Amino acid sequence: MPTSRSYGDACTIARALDVVGERWALLVVRELLLGPQRFSDVRRALPGASSNLVTDRLRELEGHGVVARRKLPPPAAATVYELTERGRELEPVVLALGAWGARLPRPEPASLGAVSVLLYLRESARPRGTACYRLELDARVWTVRTEPGRLTVEPGEPAAPDATVRTDPPTLNALLERPAHLAGAIDDGRLAIEGDLAAVRRLLREH
């Protein structure tokens, strides 16, 4: 059930934690940083959280004005969750936590979702050229665009990608750390590429 617990502390840090301090709340925010998501997308990205718990966190965040629900027009006719303007103000907070957490050991075993990898790619990329990629991770499609000094990510199909990449988040993460292993990932079937292979090599190296 949704919680109404409060620290009862006037400190602004405590007041912020009254809104986003519940378990899984900031990870729900993380999943919405790259754009609107359906409930099923958020739930799949958080395998350690039950459906009821994700529902509660979304309801609480909506009640605090951090998240909003929106009905997509036909033919999609689906309900999506997205960050409000107030919710987007949490982005530098979440990214700062990610940078701080990068120095901590990884849990074993551990899941790794598409948004986490794509946020890392976006924040670390230093592209020198212009390109568009169709990136398919765990049956979801993302559009990645580069221009000198900037990389953007958004959910959905690109109009005319230079290359299509199909893989899973752990494989993409491993290749961002070791781009030289691209050929091996293709050979053993963990990754498939259509289009400009050189553009994919640039994407992996320019971060």
Side-chain angles (χ1 to χ4, degrees), residues 132-180:
C132 178
Y133 304 86
R134 181 185 185 273
L135 190 54
E136 188 173 326
L137 295 172
D138 290 345
R140 289 203 64 204
V141 176
W142 304 83
T143 296
V144 176
R145 290 188 175 89
T146 64
E147 57 188 64
R150 184 168 181 260
L151 183 146
T152 61
V153 183
E154 60 186 26
E157 294 276 357
D162 297 291
T164 291
V165 178
R166 295 185 185 89
T167 188
D168 55 73
T171 297
L172 178 58
N173 188 65
L175 289 173
L176 291 172
E177 294 177 351
R178 297 179 179 85

Side-chain angles (χ1 to χ4, degrees), residues 10-90:
C11 169
T12 56
I13 296 171
R15 284 148 57 190
L17 290 174
D18 281 345
V19 175
V20 296
E22 286 293 329
R23 188 168 171 80
W24 301 103
L26 279 179
L27 294 187
V28 169
V29 171
R30 178 197 69 189
E31 290 305 309
L32 300 179
L33 287 178
L34 295 179
Q37 305 263 29
R38 296 172 301 176
F39 174 84
S40 58
D41 297 326
V42 178
R43 170 69 184 86
R44 186 168 55 246
L46 303 173
S50 68
S51 292
N52 286 344
L53 195 153
V54 174
T55 297
D56 288 347
R57 292 297 93 88
L58 284 166
R59 187 178 298 139
E60 291 160 7
L61 292 169
E62 186 178 4
H64 287 295
V66 174
V67 167
R69 277 182 293 175
R70 175 165 58 91
K71 189 73 173 287
L72 296 178
T79 298
V80 295
Y81 292 88
E82 59 190 352
L83 294 176
T84 62
E85 183 176 349
R86 187 182 186 194
R88 294 220 61 89
E89 293 173 355
L90 288 166

Side-chain angles (χ1 to χ4, degrees), residues 104-206:
L104 302 176
R106 295 184 185 182
E108 294 294 345
S111 63
L112 184 65
V115 169
S116 297
V117 179
L118 292 171
L119 284 172
Y120 170 68
L121 173 62
R122 189 192 69 178
E123 295 306 303
S124 62
R126 299 294 182 269
R128 294 185 291 273
T130 301
C132 178
Y133 304 86
R134 181 185 185 273
L135 190 54
E136 188 173 326
L137 295 172
D138 290 345
R140 289 203 64 204
V141 176
W142 304 83
T143 296
V144 176
R145 290 188 175 89
T146 64
E147 57 188 64
R150 184 168 181 260
L151 183 146
T152 61
V153 183
E154 60 186 26
E157 294 276 357
D162 297 291
T164 291
V165 178
R166 295 185 185 89
T167 188
D168 55 73
T171 297
L172 178 58
N173 188 65
L175 289 173
L176 291 172
E177 294 177 351
R178 297 179 179 85
H181 292 182
L182 176 61
I186 295 172
D187 290 343
D188 64 23
R190 289 180 293 131
L191 181 142
I193 295 174
E194 297 175 11
D196 190 344
L197 177 59
V200 176
R201 292 188 185 279
R202 288 196 303 273
L203 177 68
L204 295 176
R205 290 195 173 102
E206 293 178 344

